[in-house]
Amino acid sequence: MRPRLRMIGSAAMRQFWITFFGSIAGVIAGAILTMLLLGFMLAALIASVAQQASEGRSARASGGDLVLQLDLRRDRLDQPSRSPFAFSEPLSVVDIVTTLQRAQGDSRVRGVLVRANEFGMSPAQAEEIRSALARFSASGRFVIAHAQGFEGTGITNYFAVSGADEIWMQDTSSFSAVGLASESLFLGGLFEQFGAQAEFLQFHEYKNAANTFTEDGFTEAHLEATSSFLNAILESALTASAGDRGMELATFRQRIVSGPHSAEAALQAGLVDQLGHPAAARAAALERAGTNAAVQDIETYARNLAATPAATRGPVIAMISGQGSIITGSGQTGFGGGNAIGGDAMADAIDAAAAADDVRAIIVRVDSGGGSAIASDQIWDAVVRAREAGKPVIVSMASLAASGGYYLAAPADLIIANATTLTGSIGVVFGKIVIDGALDRIGVNIEPVSVGGEFATAYSSQTPFSETQRAAIEAMASEIYDDFTGRVAEGRDLPITRVREIARGRVWTGAQALELGLVDRIGGLHEALEAARELAGIDADETVRVRSYPRQPTPMEALQQIFGLSAEGAQSASRLQALLELPEVRAALEARERAGVRGVQMRTDETVPR
């Protein structure tokens, strides 16, 4: 037995040293990776500053007149990123609106050259940008848009630029923007094949967020609601674009839906004004701007504006922004994570704005399909307290403000949504995915052990709901649904019977929600700012300062947040980031998130048509 023991001890000692030195190597490698990452960040920052300085010198050398270039082919967030290292990201939609607004008062800016999106964008983003360009044009400046084709079949990319003074299109491309389409993923059949079981409770039949996991196709209610909001979005886009192009709606509709068209046919139909390459459109813009003008990216122009000292006097309107799923806590998702609205973070921001003596009104900008019912209610309470403190609260809805995103908006003084915003989805959903059968097929067995009440295993992914557990969950969900509809009835001054009639989990567009009394006005951020002036009693000619809450973290604070992880964590993050971006992995993570979620949720299907 002794030789055997010595052999085991020797192997264990070797394994110890391998693990020890391997850990040291991992720490060193992680530290090196961290330094390299910081080096890349600094190099990118230096390059960005150098490019900005170069473009600034070019503009000054040309006499200072500018044509701003706005590239809509890049995916954009609704609101600015919270990361101070996001200098390479394109401007958010909110930043585009505010930058174009400020450019209207800049005598150097002669016009805007828009590079149109070829394949599609969020309808509400398209609507908000179209409105911002229309206001810019109304100030006496020109807007020229160039598209290397409208290749996607959705009309949203055309909708964003339909009001331009001139729409150029590359003559070798096509015009395929004939309508609107959306695709919904259903995994019910896949789970069945692998022995997994999706168990969800939904209040009510239109609350389709869980259908991805429970169904293998559209239910009647799901299809009805989806078709309804797609038709409403298309109608809003066609009506606005027909007016932009000076056509009767019926004529414009026929020319759109009869596509696809060649570039020449689109020109003959009056859908575009000129055929040519990007260089020709750029030359046309510079000709209109004057011989001393230069083209400057709107990102560079916005950075230059940010470096200009802001007004230090005047009433303040607080801007509190949130995008992504609503979760409890701070909303920090880590390095490379997605955006989230933290219940603590947003409630604290609203409280801080309400307590500031110089803040006259509060705008809450929301882009969310919902999430935690508890966090949504926490933010709802902060909105109520802000109003009780005498601060008007205006909610500005972006592409999506549904379910929990609508819940937190309900008590506001005023709710403003774009016509194509997706909102409503007043309902709740709760459930889990039982994977015990799937694990059995690969020889894995996880056996839960619990003590205390029977509900202790309710959230386990190894066992289905018992009858007692299901009854308890249904009672909790029913109570939250009653709270949700009660909050809406109180906040919107509607009879509870009416709210429950139009709720049932159904998604509406902003235009539909206006007719139902769920929102007050159609518009975007600009209209929200005007409403804030109105409710706060601020004169139209008085200078207003817009202050963001919470403040942007400093680079050092961001470094501490990001690299406070171990070196091994940073190393793993770099290796996993590319994998996490894959759509298949995102779908699997979403399923796993739903399987492990705790508490009743207020979510809607976050698939936005393009």
Side-chain angles (χ1 to χ4, degrees):
M1 291 297 292
R2 288 182 179 177
R4 172 69 172 172
L5 287 172
R6 283 196 297 272
M7 183 177 67
I8 295 174
S10 176
M13 184 60 68
R14 284 198 302 273
Q15 183 60 45
F16 168 78
W17 288 115
I18 290 171
T19 303
F20 177 76
F21 287 113
S23 298
I24 293 176
V27 169
I28 294 172
I32 292 172
L33 178 65
T34 299
M35 295 304 297
L36 287 173
L37 183 59
L38 282 171
F40 284 132
M41 285 181 173
L42 289 173
L45 179 59
I46 292 169
S48 176
V49 171
Q51 179 185 7
Q52 177 181 345
S54 175
E55 290 177 345
R57 287 193 300 270
S58 175
R60 289 191 296 272
S62 67
D65 287 344
L66 298 173
V67 175
L68 302 183
Q69 179 167 272
L70 170 59
D71 193 341
L72 297 182
R73 296 170 298 177
R74 305 176 67 184
D75 286 339
R76 298 174 185 271
L77 296 172
D78 176 69
Q79 299 147 29
S81 171
R82 294 287 301 160
S83 170
F85 305 111
F87 42 78
S88 62
E89 292 183 1
L91 287 185
S92 68
V93 173
V94 165
D95 281 335
I96 289 173
V97 172
T98 55
T99 300
L100 288 176
Q101 182 69 37
R102 291 188 65 180
Q104 291 173 208
D106 188 341
S107 60
R108 299 173 304 151
V109 178
R110 318 300 285 179
V112 171
L113 174 62
V114 183
R115 299 299 303 277
N117 188 299
E118 297 131 48
F119 296 101
M121 54 198 303
S122 157
Q125 284 192 355
E127 182 180 358
E128 189 116 32
I129 290 170
R130 171 190 169 274
S131 298
L133 291 173
R135 290 189 297 271
F136 182 85
S137 179
S139 70
R141 293 157 175 81
F142 66 82
V143 177
I144 293 178
H146 184 278
Q148 291 182 285
F150 294 99
E151 304 291 325
T153 60
I155 196 173
T156 54
N157 49 359
Y158 183 77
F159 180 33
V161 299
S162 62
D165 300 299
E166 294 179 16
I167 300 178
W168 287 64
M169 183 169 159
Q170 193 163 314
D171 57 0
T172 53
S173 62
S174 64
F175 190 105
S176 301
V178 298
L180 203 61
S182 174
E183 294 181 341
S184 296
L185 176 69
F186 297 100
L187 300 173
L190 177 66
F191 288 157
E192 184 178 350
Q193 291 290 325
F194 285 93
Q197 180 181 356
E199 292 196 330
F200 283 85
L201 294 174
Q202 298 169 248
F203 282 70
H204 285 279
E205 70 272 19
Y206 292 103
K207 193 67 177 177
N208 53 47
N211 287 7
T212 291
F213 310 108
T214 60
E215 306 292 337
D216 57 10
F218 280 109
T219 63
E220 183 177 346
H222 191 176
L223 181 59
E224 176 193 351
T226 303
S227 299
S228 175
F229 72 65
L230 285 176
N231 274 309
I233 292 172
L234 179 61
E235 193 65 25
S236 293
L238 289 175
T239 301
S241 297
D244 291 337
R245 301 303 295 170
M247 294 187 199
E248 293 291 333
L249 177 58
T251 301
F252 182 76
R253 185 195 305 275
Q254 191 279 328
R255 293 180 183 181
I256 287 291
V257 301
S258 62
H261 306 292
S262 66
E264 291 77 10
L267 178 64
Q268 292 173 2
L271 300 175
V272 300
D273 303 296
Q274 300 282 348
L275 299 184
H277 284 268
R282 180 187 178 100
L286 288 173
E287 183 179 354
R288 291 189 63 166
T291 55
N292 293 325
V295 175
Q296 185 176 86
D297 285 340
I298 196 169
E299 279 78 14
T300 300
Y301 181 76
R303 286 194 296 268
N304 290 336
L305 285 180
T308 303
T312 57
R313 302 186 64 181
V316 175
I317 295 176
M319 177 73 72
I320 298 165
S321 302
Q323 55 192 332
S325 294
I326 301 171
I327 60 177
T328 56
S330 67
Q332 296 288 343
T333 57
F335 181 59
N339 295 288
I341 300 174
D344 288 353
M346 182 167 273
D348 289 347
I350 295 171
D351 288 341
D357 292 336
D358 57 351
V359 170
R360 299 277 294 276
I362 299 171
I363 294 175
V364 179
R365 175 78 172 187
V366 182
D367 190 17
S368 174
S372 165
I374 294 172
S376 301
D377 189 64
Q378 179 183 9
I379 300 168
W380 174 93
D381 179 62
V383 172
V384 170
R385 286 185 284 106
R387 291 188 61 191
E388 290 173 348
K391 302 296 172 70
V393 179
I394 299 92
V395 168
S396 173
M397 294 181 167
S399 293
L400 194 63
S403 202
Y406 186 83
Y407 187 110
L408 65 87
D413 291 276
L414 207 65
I415 300 177
I416 300 176
N418 287 297
T420 56
T421 295
L422 296 182
T423 187
S425 192
I426 301 169
V428 296
V429 61
F430 178 87
K432 63 181 180 178
I433 299 172
V434 181
I435 60 173
D436 189 56
L439 295 179
D440 282 345
R441 297 188 181 189
I442 58 174
V444 176
N445 179 34
I446 299 176
E447 293 189 6
V449 177
S450 67
V451 295
E454 182 182 343
F455 199 76
T457 59
Y459 299 143
S460 172
S461 60
Q462 307 308 309
T463 59
F465 293 130
S466 68
E467 291 186 8
T468 303
Q469 290 170 344
R470 180 176 289 275
I473 290 168
E474 187 168 355
M476 287 192 301
S478 178
E479 183 177 351
I480 291 178
Y481 179 75
D482 290 343
D483 288 340
F484 193 171
T485 52
R487 302 289 202 221
V488 174
E490 177 185 352
R492 302 304 303 159
D493 194 22
L494 292 170
I496 187 65
T497 53
R498 175 58 176 161
V499 172
R500 289 179 177 168
E501 176 186 339
I502 62 179
R504 309 193 68 80
R506 181 157 180 169
V507 175
W508 308 98
T509 66
Q512 292 172 325
L514 179 66
E515 295 179 359
L516 296 169
L518 296 177
V519 306
D520 299 294
R521 298 180 188 176
I522 296 299
L525 180 62
H526 174 79
E527 286 72 22
L529 287 166
E530 292 300 305
R533 279 181 174 272
E534 173 190 331
L535 295 184
I538 301 172
D539 294 338
D541 59 350
E542 192 171 359
T543 300
V544 168
R545 291 178 291 155
V546 178
R547 181 187 300 159
S548 295
Y549 286 84
R551 68 172 178 81
Q552 189 81 351
T554 66
M556 183 56 67
E557 290 169 341
L559 278 173
Q560 290 172 347
Q561 292 172 3
I562 294 173
F563 297 108
L565 304 171
S566 66
E568 293 168 284
Q571 184 181 34
S572 298
S574 68
R575 292 175 177 174
L576 290 175
Q577 186 58 35
L579 179 64
L580 292 174
E581 293 299 322
L582 295 174
E584 305 96 304
V585 176
R586 286 191 175 275
L589 290 175
E590 173 72 9
R592 183 66 186 88
E593 179 187 353
R594 297 289 175 85
V597 75
R598 297 294 184 265
V600 181
Q601 297 285 297
M602 296 176 176
R603 292 186 183 272
T604 191
D605 182 358
E606 297 189 21
T607 302
V608 178
R610 296 172 71 89

